[in-house]
Amino acid sequence: MDDFIKSLGPPYMAHVLRRLYDDFVRNIAQWYEEVGVAAPPRTHSTMVLLDREGPLGVTEVATQLCQSHPLVLTWVRQLKDLGFVETSHDPADARRTLLSLTAAGKAQLEK
C-alpha cells in the first residue's frame, strides 16, 4: 500500500518525521521494559537534569530542556505518579514549586 503522507511530498516531511519519532519512542519504551527501566523515555532528560542540577522549578526545567512548560508538567506528573520525582515549596518563594529526584528516581538513572 502506498503511503499517502509520503505521496504528498516535501511539504509534509514534518508529518513523516513525527511518525518516525513516535516509532522510535515506542521501540525505546519496549527496550526500557526489557532492561527494567520504568520511566517513560521522554522523561529521562528531566531526571538527568534534576540529578545534575538539584531541585529546580518547572520553568527552569522547561527552559533548560527547550520544551514547553505544559509538556514538562506532563512529564513531571508521570514521574510523580511513578514515585521518581517529588515536589516541595521553595523556602524563598512559596509560590514556586521545586522538583527533585527521589531515591527511586536515582535508582532508575542507574539502570
Side-chain angles (χ1 to χ4, degrees):
M1 179 196 304
D2 291 335
D3 186 324
F4 175 74
I5 296 298
K6 285 183 181 178
S7 74
L8 296 175
Y12 292 86
M13 184 57 69
H15 187 112
V16 172
L17 291 173
R18 179 60 191 222
R19 289 191 315 193
L20 289 171
Y21 169 78
D22 289 343
D23 286 344
F24 177 76
V25 171
R26 268 192 301 278
N27 288 326
I28 286 293
Q30 289 173 348
W31 180 76
Y32 279 0
E33 283 183 36
E34 291 173 14
V35 297
V37 174
R42 294 194 69 196
T43 65
H44 280 257
S45 56
T46 302
M47 294 173 67
V48 170
L49 178 62
L50 292 174
D51 186 52
R52 290 184 183 175
E53 303 291 326
L56 296 171
V58 173
T59 301
E60 293 167 295
V61 172
T63 299
Q64 291 210 33
L65 298 179
C66 299
Q67 297 294 330
S68 72
H69 189 273
L71 182 58
V72 170
L73 282 174
T74 298
W75 294 342
V76 168
R77 275 188 229 105
Q78 291 173 333
L79 292 170
K80 277 186 72 173
D81 289 347
L82 291 165
F84 299 152
V85 168
E86 60 190 359
T87 58
S88 61
H89 290 289
D90 185 341
D93 182 353
R95 299 168 298 170
R96 185 169 174 242
T97 300
L98 295 175
L99 310 169
S100 55
L101 282 180
T102 63
K106 290 182 183 197
Q108 281 291 294
L109 286 178
E110 291 177 16
K111 291 182 179 188

